[in-house]
Amino acid sequence: MDLVPALEEPLRQPLKSVLGPATAKVMAEHLGLLTVGDLLHHYPRRYEERGQLTHLADLPMDEHVTVVAQVADARLHTFASAKAPRGKGQRLEVTITDGSGRLQLVFFGAGVHKPHKELLPGTRAMFAGKVSVFNRRLQLAHPAYELLRGDPEESVETWAGALIPIYPATAKLESWKIGKAIQTVLPTAQEAVDPLPDTLREGRGLVPLPEALLKIHRPHTKADIEDARSRLKWDEAFVLQVALARRRHADAQLPAVPRKPAPDGLLTAFDARLPFTLTDGQQRVSREIFDDLATDHPMHRLLQGEVGSGKTMVALRAMLAVVDAGGQAAMLAPTEVLAQQHHRSIVEMMGELAEGGMLGGAEQATKVVLLTGSMGAAARRHALLDLTTGEAGIVIGTHALIEDKVQFHDLGLVVVDEQHRFGVEQRDALRGKGKQPPHLLVMTATPIPRTVAMTVFGDLETSVLDQLPAGRSPIASHVVPAADKPHFLSRAWERVREEVENGHQAYVVCPRIGDEEDDPKKSARKKSPEDEAEKRPPLAVLDVADQLTKGPLQGLRVEVLHGRMHPDDKDAVMRRFAAGETHVLVATTVIEVGVNVPNATAMVIMDADRFGVSQLHQLRGRVGRGSAPGLCLLVTEMPEASPARQRLGAVASTLDGFELSRIDLEQRREGDVLGQAQSGARTSLKVLAVIEDEEIIAQAREEATAVVANDPELTHLPALRTALDALLDEEREQYLEKG
């Protein structure tokens, strides 16, 4: 179908440009705006009001006002200042009057030239600015003004009451220039094709798209802005939900082998040897999963749960059920450390049930193999053979599992751990390994608010584990302000010693490894004000470990762990720590997910302000996994009033991951949450706020599901199809891609 020519017109063309070539170039390079349509969808961030017309006699302090007055006199003064030491500084003072009173306007520096030429005595104009006091007199500094050449009352009212759109701008292109460019192309908004079906739009009382575009860029009233935003939010929510609904619909059409566990098979034997009972939550979620596995189309389920809520146990039982039913199960982990850890803990939990085909293996046993990129050739060959023959019922690995060489006998279930490290393509590649599409279970320990789950994982059904297993201990968290109160940091190291003396272990987490060469690109990157406030680079594992062994933790066995170590060395370090041979592990965030050492009770996170809220919550979940209480100390040098300190305060104040994920989301750009950082400025969400607009997203999901059920190919909705193609082309179907 043809796209709408007027809106598809490039802003910059060799022969004629819609805008000046220089402006079009800046828009393309700095704002990602290439076509007339892109520009029309570059919405104002907020609106300024010039303020109601005010008489000079009644000017309120500190408010934006608009006055209509006549210039009484104008004087240019020169003065000396730090910037202009030789008396070359210039200040223009203009006195205006409207008959009811007088007011002084001031302009400084280069800003004096234009008003000095234009604001001659006797000139009438409208002036807008913020009222301040200088030398006990009211004044407006650098006011905006518009000369009144005739005197139509209407133009005064219109100018004063107008809502001035303020656009997301760049240093190269100010908001008012963007505004002018948009006014140039605004007439083409009439040709915008409306993606919303008429019945939906009329049923929800939404204005047509051309009207919404006019109202958002040239509103006459605040109600206009409200109308436009409501409508444009619906566009974003609905088109995204249609994309997800079509993916769900397509997946539901795929055939799958139903996998029902044998009555007295591997799963029954495993449950019988468990030394504890499953929580109600684990049992409920397991039932949901088993129901899905029994159907003849593939399960697509997201299992989200608090750190330590026992997701691995639920996933393992699902894998055993599939093995029972004659299939194989693969668990995909984001890192080798985590794959090895999962393999170790699953083999331990299963005992002789993991020794299929070996002496001493139980009758129902299967084989559990590990497959990672760094394995030796012989071990790898062996693992691949076990998968091809079906000898191995369960395989745990990194993305090495996705490689072409890996063949399964009968892949029935794929479990993806920590979804945000795996994209849709990787999920699909692994699913392609089955004779028929396998069932899919995605696990994440980052609690996700309901709306984000509907938006990011909208092609998956969701199960939530929000109950901690019995015997888990609470974790006490405290902020340690190292700069304000250095003795707090000394006390933190004493606490680590006390934990070790009581037979426990501790983690110390740092943001950096410490053997990096300085990357010129990184240092050239623009720093945030908080980074600027703290000039030093983030603390590094190698430096901190060295300082601790020579200083406050002298005499304790301290080891380091980071991502650039050889996999065998990493594994050896983790084994020693798990066995209790190491007292303190100084690590990067490689320990963030899945590492399970119940004897580790304390964690000190250095430069905690350098980590995100969800990441801190993840890290903290590595302690308090046994019966002894956990302690997490968040060390920071940030000042008390800074946003970073407030963020750390929020993490210390609650263990509720869902609450923290809301805080995290409110503090970050929505685009990051939706995995859109890779598309730069062009996030598909411009007006929709995932947390605030929960209701719209839920309603859009319902509407989208109904539309796709009736017309999966959108044959009768060509305009919606066009909008969808634009979204999918722009995001390359990666709005589900997380990281």
Side-chain angles (χ1 to χ4, degrees):
M1 144 146 194
D2 286 346
L3 291 168
V4 185
L7 268 64
E8 285 306 304
E9 203 170 327
L11 294 172
R12 184 176 168 210
Q13 306 177 51
L15 299 174
K16 73 173 184 67
S17 282
V18 175
L19 307 172
T23 308
K25 183 170 189 262
V26 174
M27 284 190 172
E29 288 173 7
H30 294 272
L31 295 168
L33 306 175
L34 307 173
T35 65
V36 170
D38 291 345
L39 187 52
L40 286 175
H41 288 291
H42 187 71
Y43 309 131
R45 177 177 284 140
R46 58 190 173 83
Y47 299 84
E48 286 286 355
E49 287 182 87
R50 290 201 176 98
Q52 294 310 303
L53 283 176
T54 315
H55 288 298
L56 293 184
D58 329 315
L59 285 179
M61 271 299 297
D62 274 341
E63 280 187 28
H64 280 277
V65 297
T66 300
V67 295
V68 174
Q70 192 163 349
V71 176
D73 63 46
R75 297 200 188 104
L76 191 62
H77 302 274
T78 53
F79 60 91
S81 71
K83 284 187 179 170
R86 296 191 184 147
K88 296 247 177 93
Q90 291 190 312
R91 181 174 76 247
L92 176 66
E93 290 178 2
V94 178
T95 308
I96 58 172
T97 175
D98 68 350
S100 73
R102 293 166 82 83
L103 177 66
Q104 186 165 329
L105 317 176
V106 288
F107 300 88
F108 291 99
V112 305
H113 306 306
K114 187 166 177 273
H116 188 222
K117 280 196 303 218
E118 294 182 338
L119 297 180
L120 304 171
T123 309
R124 278 191 93 246
M126 288 182 280
F127 302 93
K130 193 174 183 182
V131 183
S132 57
V133 170
F134 182 71
N135 278 349
R136 290 190 299 210
R137 288 169 63 193
L138 294 181
Q139 70 168 29
L140 294 183
H142 284 283
Y145 64 86
E146 186 121 321
L147 303 178
L148 293 173
R149 295 197 164 78
D151 183 16
E153 277 305 309
E154 191 187 10
S155 74
V156 174
E157 289 295 339
T158 330
W159 193 82
L163 292 157
I164 306 155
I166 306 296
Y167 289 93
T170 99
K172 298 265 168 75
L173 198 63
E174 299 90 341
S175 165
W176 63 269
K177 284 188 181 159
I178 295 172
K180 278 195 162 164
I182 287 173
Q183 294 303 336
T184 310
V185 300
L186 202 50
T188 55
Q190 292 301 343
E191 299 181 47
V193 171
D194 202 322
L196 294 190
D198 293 347
T199 48
L200 188 161
R201 189 171 53 73
E202 287 155 13
R204 299 266 172 197
L206 300 167
V207 300
L209 182 58
E211 188 182 327
L213 290 170
L214 286 171
K215 282 183 167 174
I216 199 140
H217 292 299
R218 200 187 277 163
H220 295 300
T221 62
K222 288 184 178 163
D224 283 354
I225 300 171
E226 213 31 61
D227 283 354
R229 287 179 66 83
S230 305
R231 163 60 217 246
L232 296 167
K233 281 180 177 190
W234 255 96
D235 278 19
E236 290 180 6
F238 181 69
V239 175
L240 185 57
Q241 289 301 335
V242 166
L244 293 163
R246 291 188 71 209
R247 190 174 172 93
R248 281 198 304 278
H249 184 271
D251 285 342
Q253 307 310 306
L254 297 170
V257 180
R259 308 281 179 175
K260 293 179 184 166
D264 288 316
L266 186 54
L267 181 61
T268 313
F270 175 75
D271 284 350
R273 55 171 285 136
L274 281 181
F276 52 82
T277 46
L278 298 175
T279 64
D280 295 345
Q282 285 174 315
Q283 290 177 1
R284 185 193 72 247
V285 170
S286 287
R287 276 195 301 276
E288 291 172 356
I289 292 171
F290 291 155
D291 288 349
D292 280 0
L293 290 174
T295 62
D296 56 7
H297 57 84
M299 164 172 85
H300 292 106
R301 192 165 279 282
L302 172 69
L303 169 57
Q304 51 167 329
E306 275 293 6
V307 179
S309 57
K311 290 181 300 299
T312 312
M313 174 60 68
V314 169
L316 175 56
R317 292 183 74 242
M319 293 198 286
L320 295 174
V322 168
V323 175
D324 252 355
Q328 290 169 294
M331 183 186 247
L332 201 53
T335 63
E336 296 212 345
V337 168
L338 196 51
Q340 287 161 340
Q341 173 101 21
H342 275 319
H343 181 255
R344 250 199 318 276
S345 63
I346 283 174
V347 168
E348 267 168 38
M349 283 195 278
M350 287 175 64
E352 72 272 16
L353 295 174
E355 295 169 0
M358 298 184 226
L359 279 172
E363 185 191 338
Q364 302 96 332
T366 185
K367 219 181 223 185
V368 180
V369 300
L370 176 70
L371 189 64
T372 62
S374 64
M375 280 168 72
R380 190 178 166 79
R381 232 185 356 262
H382 213 87
L384 290 171
L385 187 64
D386 283 345
L387 288 183
T388 315
T389 59
E391 188 91 0
I394 295 177
V395 58
I396 293 144
T398 53
H399 48 261
L401 281 176
I402 300 171
E403 289 173 15
D404 293 342
K405 296 188 199 102
V406 181
Q407 297 295 323
F408 288 85
H409 175 64
D410 179 12
L411 181 60
L413 170 67
V414 175
V415 178
V416 180
D417 189 16
E418 282 308 309
Q419 155 67 10
H420 60 270
R421 316 278 177 106
F422 285 102
V424 175
E425 286 91 343
Q426 289 151 310
R427 257 161 49 181
D428 286 347
L430 192 54
R431 286 190 345 206
K433 301 269 180 199
K435 295 191 176 85
Q436 281 193 330
H439 298 280
L440 175 71
L441 179 65
V442 170
M443 299 199 295
T444 174
T446 310
I448 305 167
R450 175 171 159 259
T451 42
V452 180
M454 283 195 291
T455 311
V456 182
F457 301 107
D459 61 336
L460 305 171
E461 297 300 325
T462 307
S463 293
V464 178
L465 268 179
D466 47 13
Q467 203 183 353
L468 290 186
R472 273 292 162 86
S473 310
I475 304 169
S477 307
H478 304 284
V479 178
V480 177
D484 311 350
K485 299 178 178 167
H487 61 287
F488 275 36
L489 184 57
S490 315
R491 177 72 189 116
W493 301 126
E494 283 170 22
R495 282 292 288 113
V496 170
R497 270 191 174 282
E498 287 164 17
E499 289 298 313
V500 173
E501 280 159 16
N502 290 333
H504 297 302
Q505 293 159 279
Y507 297 100
V508 177
V509 182
C510 306
R512 211 163 53 96
I513 296 173
D515 60 356
E516 304 91 339
E517 289 176 24
D518 281 337
D519 180 347
K521 275 190 203 148
K522 277 188 187 164
S523 52
R525 263 211 314 253
K526 198 164 174 253
K527 292 185 172 61
S528 75
E530 287 184 10
D531 285 347
E532 287 293 354
E534 185 184 21
K535 292 290 186 215
R536 65 168 180 74
L539 292 170
V541 165
L542 301 177
D543 306 341
V544 168
D546 189 47
Q547 288 159 15
L548 291 176
T549 38
K550 292 175 181 163
L553 301 186
Q554 197 171 6
L556 300 186
R557 286 192 297 280
V558 177
E559 288 209 67
V560 300
L561 179 72
H562 58 74
R564 278 216 287 277
M565 288 164 62
H566 187 279
D568 292 348
D569 297 341
K570 277 193 272 196
D571 197 38
V573 168
M574 270 318 296
R575 278 177 190 278
R576 285 195 292 273
F577 189 64
E581 294 165 25
T582 307
H583 295 136
V584 179
L585 187 61
V586 183
T588 56
T589 54
V590 290
I591 62 155
E592 179 186 347
V593 285
V595 171
N596 185 24
V597 180
N599 191 44
T601 51
M603 176 176 284
V604 181
I605 303 180
M606 307 303 291
D607 278 345
D609 47 90
R610 308 284 179 124
F611 299 96
V613 170
S614 295
Q615 204 172 24
L616 291 169
H617 183 57
Q618 279 288 330
L619 286 165
R620 169 173 64 185
R622 301 300 114 214
V623 295
R625 298 177 78 85
S627 52
L631 172 69
C632 178
L633 301 173
L634 306 167
V635 180
T636 178
E637 292 187 0
M638 283 311 205
E640 196 162 354
S642 64
R645 268 287 279 281
Q646 289 164 5
R647 210 166 55 230
L648 295 180
V651 174
S653 68
T654 178
L655 291 172
D656 180 344
F658 285 92
E659 180 52 35
L660 287 173
S661 71
R662 285 184 84 91
I663 294 169
D664 194 18
L665 196 54
E666 280 158 11
Q667 291 186 341
R668 293 196 298 168
R669 272 190 32 245
E670 221 91 51
D672 298 342
V673 178
L674 298 179
Q676 306 238 325
Q678 79 276 10
S679 60
R682 294 185 76 176
T683 158
S684 63
L685 297 194
K686 297 186 178 77
V687 283
L688 190 71
V690 171
I691 286 284
E692 289 159 35
D693 298 321
E694 185 163 342
E695 210 171 299
I696 293 179
I697 293 170
Q699 291 169 359
R701 183 180 164 111
E702 269 175 47
E703 295 273 12
T705 308
V707 163
V708 171
N710 287 333
D711 182 3
E713 293 306 310
L714 308 179
T715 323
H716 303 297
L717 297 167
L720 174 57
R721 182 81 226 210
T722 300
L724 195 62
D725 290 344
L727 172 79
L728 297 186
D729 168 57
E730 180 178 315
E731 306 300 345
R732 298 177 305 285
E733 280 201 279
Q734 284 183 353
Y735 47 78
L736 296 173
E737 184 82 67
K738 291 198 75 194

